[in-house]
Amino acid sequence: MDSGSIALGGPRARWCVRAVLLALLATAPCMPARALEGAPLQANGASHTVTYDRYSLLVDGKRIYLWSGSFHYWRLPSPSLWKDVLQKMKAAGYNGVEIYFHWGFHSPRPGVYDFSGIRDVDRLLDMARDEGIYVIARPGPYINAETDGGGFPAWLAATTGKPRTTAPEYTAAYKDWLTHIDAIIARHQVTNGTGSVLLYQVENELYTENDDTRRYMQDIADKARADGITVPLTGNHNDNFLTGLGAPQIPGFDSYPLDFDCTQPDRWNKLYDFSSERMALKDTPLFFPEYQGGAFDQWGGAGNAKCRELTGVPFERVFYKANIAAGSTMQNFYMTYGGINWGYLASPGVYTSYDYGAAIEASRKLTAKYDQQKMLGYFVQSVAPLAKTERLPVRPPTQQGLRDDARINPDDGTQFHFVRHADAASKADDSTHVWMNLAAGETEGGKVVYTSVPQQPDTALRINGRDSKILLAHYRFGSQDLVYSTSEWMTQISSGGRDIALLYGRNGEDGETVLRYKAAPQVRVLAGQVASHFDAKAGTLRLNYRHDGLARVLIGGADGTSLLLLLADDATAATFWQLPSNEGPVLVRGPYLVREAAVSTTDASASLKGDATRPGELEFFNPGTVKSLSWNGRAIGTSVTPSGSLLAQVDGPLPVTLPTLDRWKTHAGSPEAGPRFDDHTWARANLASTKNPYWDGHSPIWNSDDYGFHHGAVWYRGHFKATGHETGIILGVYMGVHLGNHGVFTVWLNGHYLGSNPSSSQLFNIDPSWLQPGKDNVLAVLVDNMGHNQEERNGVSKEPHGLYKATFLGSDAAISWSIQGNLGGEDGVDAVRGPFNDGGLYGEREGWSLPGFDDSSWKDATLPATAAEAGVQWYRTNVTLDLPTGQDIPIALKIDDASERPYRALIIINGWQVGRYISDVGPQHEFELPAGLLHAHGPNTIAIASWSTAAGGGLGKVSLVVQGNVITSLKIDDVAAPGYRDLEGKMKASSGR
Ligand code: GAL
C-alpha cells in the first residue's frame, strides 16, 4: 500500500511545507504518507538491516511503530497454545512479542539444558516468524517476572558470589546459559533473514550502577556479540546505564504507573509525561520495554478481575495514548498474555494464576482490554506518519481542564491531537472545541490561523471521564485526503483507487469527519444517519453523525476514486479484524477472532480462518476482486452488499457439558509423620558447610537447596533419644519472605500432631506421654516451600529453605535429621515435565499423580470431605472427555469451600501440577487446565493432594468448569508426557526401593 504515486500539488502540498516551517521543525522535503505494511519481514534467507534513530526503529530503512506485548511461553506448557496466543496478538495489531527466556526453566542442574517439548524455543521462535511478529528477546540472565528466583536456576543458590555482578562463579554459570540460549536466538534474527528476533535485551531492570555492574552489563553485551547476536541491544534500566561502559544501544523505561494494588481498582496515580525523556534521547526512540499491561496479584489478593479493572479500558486509553503523545514509537505491554505459574514456577507471594488482568485472559479468552489494544494497534500500524513525529505547539482547547498534546510528522505534515483531561484521573464530563491549523498553514499577520473543531454548530468534542482521544488531521491515505476527524482512526485499506477507512467513537457521542475534494463528490449514506456538507470554496466535505452501531458512507470522487467510510461505535469497531494477506491487508467484520487470511487472485477467492462463539455474520470488505470466501477451510455462501463487501454466515460451536466429578479414590499421603516410617534412603542432613551466604552459620546445614531439593514440599525427620523431660520444641523454618509469607510447616512427634505454623518460628508443646524415654523418637516436619525470592538485593534469591532451628525445652537431646524433597533432587525422574513439576510429598515421589498409576486398592470417596486430623490425603479420579472436534474449549478445575478451612491442595492433571490452592488464603478457586495437557478426546487423570494443616481441613467440592467455547481453526495437540509405567523403573531406582 505505497501511496508514492499520489501526485502532490494543490493546497495539501503547500500546507505541508508551510506547516513545517511554522512549527520550526526539520526541513526534510514533504513526502506523501506511506502506510506501514504492518507485517514483519517474512524470513526468506535474505538478510535485513535493523537500525534506529531518534524517531523509531527502521527495518531495511523503513520506519516501524513497535506495538508489542509480553508473553511467557514457560507459563503456557502446551506449544499448540503458543500459536494461539501469537495469532491473537497479531490479530490485534501487535507487531511484536516480548519474551523472557527463563534460565531455571531450561536448566535443572549445572551444565544441563533442555530445549525440547514444552521447552522448545526454536519452535516458538519459528512460530513467531511464521505469524509475522517481531520478537524482543530477553534471556536475562536475570528476569524477575514473579518467578522462582527471578529466573535463576535454583542450583545457583549453591554457588558463591553475588549474582548480577562479575563474581567469578556467577559469571561462569550465566555465560554457560547465554552460550546455549544465544545460539538459539541468533538463529532467528531478522538480520540473518532467518527469523523475526528484532531486539535483544541485556539483563533486566538493573538499577545499581557502579563500576562492577557496568563491567557486568558490558560482559553480557560482549558475550551476545561473540555469540552472533547482531540485532540492536536494548535495556530496561530506566535512568541507569544510559551511556558509557555497559550501556545497551537502545535504553528503555519500564513503567507501572498504577502499581499492583488491585484491591482499589478505581485508584489512579498521576500520569507521568515522558516528553522530557523523549527530548533527552538524542539518537534513540522513546522505548517502553515494559509499560503496565495489567498487574500481578498476590496470595490473599483481590483476584485478577480486579487487576483487569484497575488497568482496564480507560487506563489503556489515557496512558497508552499519552505515551504516543510523548513521542514513543516503541511500546511493549507487560503482560498481554500472562498464563499460569504451573508447578512451582511462582516466586514467593504470587499464586498459580499469572492472568495479570491482561488483555488476554489466562484461559486465552479475549477481553475488552484486548479490543481497546486492537483499536490502538491498528491505528499505530496503519498510520505510517506516526513513526516520525515532533511536538507541535497548539492553542489549548476551549474547555479548561482539558489539554491537547499535538504531534506532527515533519515530512508530510500529518497531525495527531491527543485530547484528555489535564488531570488524567478526572471523571468530569467535559465538552470542548480544539484548535487546528487547517488553513494550509497560512498565517495572518504572522499568526497561525486556527479553526475551531468541530465546525458543525452546536456540537462539541466530548471527553467524558477517564478518556482520551487521538484526532488525526492532514492525513493522506490511498487516494484520499483527510482534513481531520473527531472520530478516532482505527485503520484503512486501499486497493486500485478504492479506499476503506474505519473510524470509531463512544456510543452516543458526535463525530465530525472532513475530507478534501476538488469538486463536490457523490455522497451515499448506506447505513446510519450522516449529514454531509460540501464547501466548494474550501474544497472540503464535512460529515456529521452520532456514533451508534455502524454508519456507512460511500463517497465517489470526481476523479473516479471511491472511499467507503465506516463510522462505528466502540463496540462495533471491536468486531472488525484487519489481517495481512499475500495480497495486502484485508478487513473483516463479525466473528470473535480472525486469525489468518489468504487471497487467491486466480480464482478470486479469499480463505479466512478464525474463531466464532456463536452463529453470526461475517463480512469481508473487499478492496480488490474477491468474489468467494471460505472459512476454516469450507466454502461459505456470500452475497454482495451495497458497501461492495461480501456478507456470509458462520456457524457457532456446539454446546458442551462436562462430566461431574463424583467418583473419587482416596489414600492417606503422609506416612512420613508416623514413627515407623523407613527413612533410611533419605539424605542425612549432615553437611558441615554451605556456600549459602544467608545460612545463619550453625552446623550441620539443613538448607534444602544444599541437598538439591529446590521446589515444593520437603520432609525432615529427626531422630533423638528422649530423656523424657522434653516439654516443648522450638522449630524455625525458612519459607521465602517476599510479599507476605503463606508458607506453612506441620510437625508430628512419634506420629502425634504437634501443630502447624505459618510463620518462621514457633514453640510446640510436648505431651510427656508421647515420648519414649531412652528409645528412638522421631520428629517429622513437613515444610511448604513457597519458592525462591527474586534477586532484588544482595543475593536474597539464595535465602535458604527449610529447617534452621530445632531446640528442645527441658532437654538437650541431640537430634539427627534426614531430609527428603522431590524424588532425585536435581536429577528428577521426569525430564519432560521438568524441575518445577514435582515436590516432595509422598504421593509425588511415588507417582500417585501420574496417569496409569493403579489406585484400585484405594478407598472410594466423594467430595467435599472433611479431614479428622492434620496430614496429607490424596484423591484421584479419571475423566474421559470427548469434546466436539474443531472447537477450543478452555476448561478449569474449580474448588469450592463453603468457608475457609485449614488446608492447601496441589492440583495435578495427567501428571502436570497446574495449581496450588490454599483454602484459608485464596483468592484463586478456578485453575486453568491448559488444553493439550488436558486431553479433549480421551482419558484424563486428575489427582489432588490435600494437606490439612489442622483437623477440619479436607477437600472442598471439585468440578470442571467451561471457561469458553469457540469453533476454531486452531489445532491443539496433546502434549506427550510419560505415565506411571514409563517412570516406574526410574522412580524405584531413585528412591532406593
Ligand atoms: C518489572 C520486571 C518484570 C516484572 C514486573 C512486574 O519490574 O522487570 O519482570 O517483575 O516488574 O510484574
Side-chain angles (χ1 to χ4, degrees):
M1 276 203 314
D2 202 291
S3 51
S5 58
I6 294 173
L8 278 180
R12 166 77 181 185
R14 279 202 313 279
W15 175 85
C16 175
V17 174
R18 287 188 195 141
V20 170
L21 293 175
L22 260 176
L24 300 174
L25 300 172
T27 51
C30 276
M31 297 292 289
R34 176 177 51 76
L36 278 187
E37 269 85 334
L41 305 157
Q42 289 298 310
N44 54 10
S47 62
H48 302 285
T49 61
V50 182
T51 56
Y52 53 90
D53 61 16
R54 59 189 299 265
Y55 299 107
S56 74
L57 289 170
L58 298 95
V59 177
D60 291 339
K62 255 188 196 171
R63 294 195 179 281
I64 63 167
Y65 196 111
L66 186 64
W67 190 257
S68 169
S70 289
F71 161 53
H72 301 156
Y73 62 93
W74 37 276
R75 285 188 159 122
L76 188 58
S78 181
S80 314
L81 306 185
W82 299 345
K83 178 167 171 172
D84 183 41
V85 170
L86 293 174
Q87 287 194 328
K88 282 174 174 162
M89 289 178 66
K90 180 72 185 179
Y94 290 87
N95 61 347
V97 58
E98 189 176 81
I99 301 176
Y100 274 138
F101 297 90
H102 187 303
W103 181 4
F105 186 68
H106 294 277
S107 181
R109 56 184 186 278
V112 176
Y113 298 91
D114 185 348
F115 295 102
S116 65
I118 59 162
R119 295 174 176 75
D120 188 349
V121 293
D122 247 319
R123 181 171 174 192
L124 170 72
L125 293 174
D126 278 347
M127 281 183 191
R129 176 203 61 207
D130 294 347
E131 296 310 326
I133 192 158
Y134 288 125
V135 175
I136 306 172
R138 307 207 292 173
Y142 181 68
I143 62 170
N144 209 62
E146 291 75 65
T147 187
D148 186 275
F152 281 153
W155 52 259
L156 200 68
T159 60
T160 56
K162 190 168 152 188
R164 310 179 80 185
T165 69
T166 62
E169 219 177 317
Y170 171 67
T171 303
Y174 88 69
K175 286 200 172 166
D176 197 30
W177 157 244
L178 290 183
T179 298
H180 288 83
I181 192 68
D182 284 352
I184 299 175
I185 295 171
R187 287 204 285 278
H188 294 269
Q189 295 178 99
V190 170
T191 39
N192 299 346
T194 49
S196 63
V197 173
L198 185 71
L199 300 169
Y200 177 106
Q201 181 178 301
V202 178
E203 245 280 347
N204 189 80
E205 287 190 348
L206 188 54
Y207 291 157
T208 312
E209 187 176 340
N210 57 37
D211 287 351
D212 186 71
T213 54
R214 269 192 292 278
R215 183 67 258 164
Y216 165 60
M217 288 285 291
Q218 190 60 47
D219 285 351
I220 299 174
D222 292 347
K223 171 77 179 142
R225 291 302 186 217
D227 288 344
I229 301 297
T230 52
V231 295
L233 303 181
T234 64
N236 65 342
H237 314 287
N238 290 14
D239 293 331
N240 306 284
F241 306 103
L242 293 179
T243 56
L245 189 73
Q249 288 168 286
I250 304 179
F253 301 89
D254 284 0
S255 179
Y256 293 83
L258 299 191
D259 302 324
F260 304 96
D261 178 3
C262 304
T263 62
Q264 298 177 66
D266 198 41
R267 179 195 48 81
W268 275 22
N269 296 326
K270 276 213 155 38
L271 190 160
Y272 179 80
D273 180 359
F274 280 89
S275 299
S276 48
E277 279 76 5
R278 168 68 179 83
M279 298 303 284
L281 295 165
K282 296 294 175 233
D283 315 309
T284 57
L286 177 58
F287 174 31
F288 297 106
E290 289 177 35
Y291 200 82
Q292 184 153 24
F296 61 81
D297 196 26
Q298 308 174 19
W299 284 114
N304 293 308
K306 293 277 187 233
C307 299
R308 188 165 283 109
E309 194 181 328
L310 173 73
T311 57
V313 171
F315 167 73
E316 295 180 303
R317 277 185 190 147
V318 174
F319 284 71
Y320 302 170
K321 289 177 185 176
N323 290 340
I324 306 175
S328 173
T329 56
M330 297 172 72
Q331 289 201 58
N332 176 79
F333 303 97
Y334 188 102
M335 301 294 298
T336 290
Y337 174 79
I340 60 172
N341 291 307
W342 66 278
Y344 298 101
L345 270 173
S347 60
V350 298
Y351 52 90
T352 302
S353 176
Y354 196 70
D355 173 280
Y356 217 85
I360 306 175
E361 287 183 8
S363 67
R364 298 176 289 111
K365 233 170 44 198
L366 308 179
T367 68
K369 286 183 64 175
Y370 175 91
D371 295 341
Q372 178 57 47
Q373 282 288 43
K374 178 166 75 168
M375 292 174 190
L376 281 172
Y378 288 4
F379 168 71
V380 301
Q381 299 305 324
S382 66
V383 183
L386 185 61
K388 181 179 180 185
T389 61
E390 296 281 3
R391 191 169 261 299
L392 174 68
V394 287
R395 195 164 148 186
T398 53
Q399 171 66 42
Q400 274 203 349
L402 294 176
R403 57 186 284 170
D404 173 5
D405 298 281
R407 303 195 70 81
I408 185 168
N409 179 301
D411 299 337
D412 66 16
T414 307
Q415 289 183 22
F416 304 86
H417 292 259
F418 301 81
V419 187
R420 64 170 171 91
H421 285 114
D423 168 8
S426 165
K427 291 185 174 173
D429 182 358
D430 283 326
S431 292
T432 192
H433 284 76
V434 292
W435 297 101
M436 285 192 188
N437 164 218
L438 298 176
E442 270 150 0
T443 60
E444 266 173 24
K447 284 201 177 142
V448 182
V449 178
Y450 283 112
T451 302
S452 168
V453 168
Q455 298 181 74
Q456 157 103 334
D458 303 324
T459 62
L461 177 75
R462 190 161 159 206
I463 300 291
N464 183 4
R466 291 169 166 179
D467 198 358
S468 168
K469 289 181 179 164
I470 307 176
L471 313 190
L472 183 59
H474 293 295
Y475 175 53
R476 297 200 71 145
F477 63 100
S479 314
Q480 312 298 325
D481 190 348
L482 174 79
V483 182
Y484 67 84
S485 179
T486 65
S487 299
E488 295 190 83
W489 195 269
M490 190 150 150
T491 190
Q492 84 268 334
I493 59 173
S494 303
S495 163
R498 289 196 59 204
D499 302 303
I500 302 174
L502 172 61
L503 289 80
Y504 66 97
R506 316 289 162 266
N507 183 280
E509 291 188 13
D510 290 333
E512 179 171 286
T513 297
V514 178
L515 295 142
R516 206 178 294 282
Y517 289 96
K518 288 198 188 98
Q522 269 201 344
V523 179
R524 275 177 61 204
V525 177
L526 304 176
Q529 294 194 345
V530 180
S532 69
H533 170 79
F534 184 70
D535 179 339
K537 189 161 155 258
T540 54
L541 172 72
R542 174 160 55 77
L543 303 171
N544 286 90
Y545 45 88
R546 187 155 283 179
H547 295 102
D548 184 13
L550 185 64
R552 302 169 185 235
V553 187
L554 191 59
I555 307 167
D559 55 359
T561 61
S562 77
L563 168 65
L564 176 66
L565 264 187
L566 300 169
L567 305 164
D569 59 12
D570 293 330
T572 309
T575 64
F576 278 86
W577 300 95
Q578 184 183 326
L579 273 289
S581 84
N582 48 316
E583 291 293 311
V586 303
L587 196 64
V588 181
R589 181 187 65 79
Y592 176 73
L593 173 67
V594 182
R595 299 169 182 270
E596 291 174 52
V599 173
S600 159
T601 43
T602 32
D603 62 358
S605 69
S607 145
L608 303 173
K609 289 186 178 164
D611 298 6
T613 50
R614 54 172 175 266
E617 289 185 345
L618 180 154
E619 186 174 4
F620 180 81
F621 289 87
N622 192 358
T625 53
V626 169
K627 297 211 163 39
S628 64
L629 294 180
S630 73
W631 170 247
N632 292 343
R634 286 168 56 182
I636 42 175
T638 59
S639 58
V640 179
T641 74
S643 305
S645 58
L646 298 180
L647 190 63
Q649 292 285 321
V650 297
D651 292 337
L654 299 173
V656 282
T657 41
L658 295 176
T660 52
L661 306 179
D662 38 21
R663 293 165 66 93
W664 293 85
K665 290 285 197 176
T666 189
H667 199 282
S670 39
E672 300 92 333
R676 276 174 297 281
F677 180 81
D678 178 2
D679 60 20
H680 84 274
T681 59
W682 289 17
R684 302 285 149 230
N686 59 5
L687 286 175
S689 66
T690 176
K691 290 178 179 174
N692 194 302
Y694 280 85
W695 184 251
D696 67 2
H698 80 263
S699 169
I701 312 300
W702 300 332
N703 171 23
S704 57
D705 281 316
D706 278 309
Y707 296 89
F709 303 126
H710 300 305
H711 307 295
V714 172
W715 278 98
Y716 289 85
R717 280 173 56 90
H719 293 260
F720 64 98
K721 193 182 273 184
T723 60
H725 303 298
E726 292 81 5
T727 56
I729 183 153
I730 300 169
L731 291 173
V733 168
Y734 287 109
M735 288 172 293
V737 292
H738 189 61
L739 286 175
N741 183 350
H742 294 285
V744 74
F745 63 99
T746 301
V747 188
W748 291 264
L749 170 64
N750 293 334
H752 298 282
Y753 170 70
L754 293 191
S756 288
N757 191 42
S759 67
S760 63
S761 171
Q762 163 102 7
L763 164 65
F764 298 92
N765 292 322
I766 291 176
D767 179 333
S769 71
W770 295 345
L771 291 167
Q772 304 225 28
K775 294 197 182 141
D776 181 35
N777 291 252
V778 186
L779 279 162
V781 185
L782 175 59
V783 181
D784 202 4
N785 175 352
M786 301 305 282
H788 298 82
N789 301 319
Q790 300 186 97
E791 179 57 34
E792 277 150 355
R793 60 195 152 80
N794 295 329
V796 74
S797 62
K798 296 183 174 182
E799 196 195 44
H801 288 87
L803 206 58
Y804 69 88
K805 182 162 66 180
T807 315
F808 281 121
L809 298 188
S811 159
D812 52 8
I815 311 172
S816 145
W817 291 99
S818 297
I819 181 172
Q820 178 66 62
N822 69 300
L823 192 59
E826 289 177 5
D827 273 311
V829 295
D830 183 355
V832 170
R833 296 184 182 89
F836 287 98
N837 194 56
D838 298 315
L841 292 182
Y842 187 81
E844 289 178 284
R845 306 197 311 268
E846 293 287 317
W848 289 3
S849 56
L850 292 169
F853 171 77
D854 179 5
D855 59 17
S856 56
S857 64
W858 289 20
K859 277 203 212 110
D860 292 331
T862 54
L863 293 172
T866 304
E869 54 187 34
V872 180
Q873 188 76 24
W874 281 75
Y875 295 86
R876 282 173 57 97
T877 192
N878 294 310
V879 177
T880 299
L881 295 178
D882 188 15
L883 302 178
T885 47
Q887 290 182 209
D888 177 14
I889 303 159
I891 290 171
L893 183 142
K894 187 171 181 198
I895 302 185
D896 280 309
D897 276 308
S899 58
E900 293 177 357
R901 294 197 275 159
Y903 81 92
R904 53 191 57 205
L906 298 179
I907 297 152
I908 304 167
I909 178 78
N910 295 325
W912 299 85
Q913 195 258 85
V914 291
R916 296 171 80 180
Y917 171 80
I918 309 184
S919 173
D920 45 1
V921 175
Q924 190 176 4
H925 288 268
E926 278 189 29
F927 296 83
E928 280 77 23
L929 307 177
L933 299 190
L934 181 73
H935 308 141
H937 310 281
N940 293 279
T941 300
I942 299 171
I944 299 180
S946 163
W947 167 355
S948 296
T949 48
L955 182 57
K957 183 169 170 281
V958 177
S959 55
L960 295 177
V961 292
V962 172
Q963 294 181 306
N965 183 5
V966 293
I967 193 163
T968 184
S969 62
L970 182 73
K971 298 269 174 294
I972 303 172
D973 297 326
D974 284 347
V975 178
Y980 183 81
R981 293 268 161 266
D982 307 304
L983 293 177
E984 195 178 7
K986 273 193 190 167
M987 286 190 291
K988 285 202 168 130
S990 187
S991 64
R993 283 184 287 129

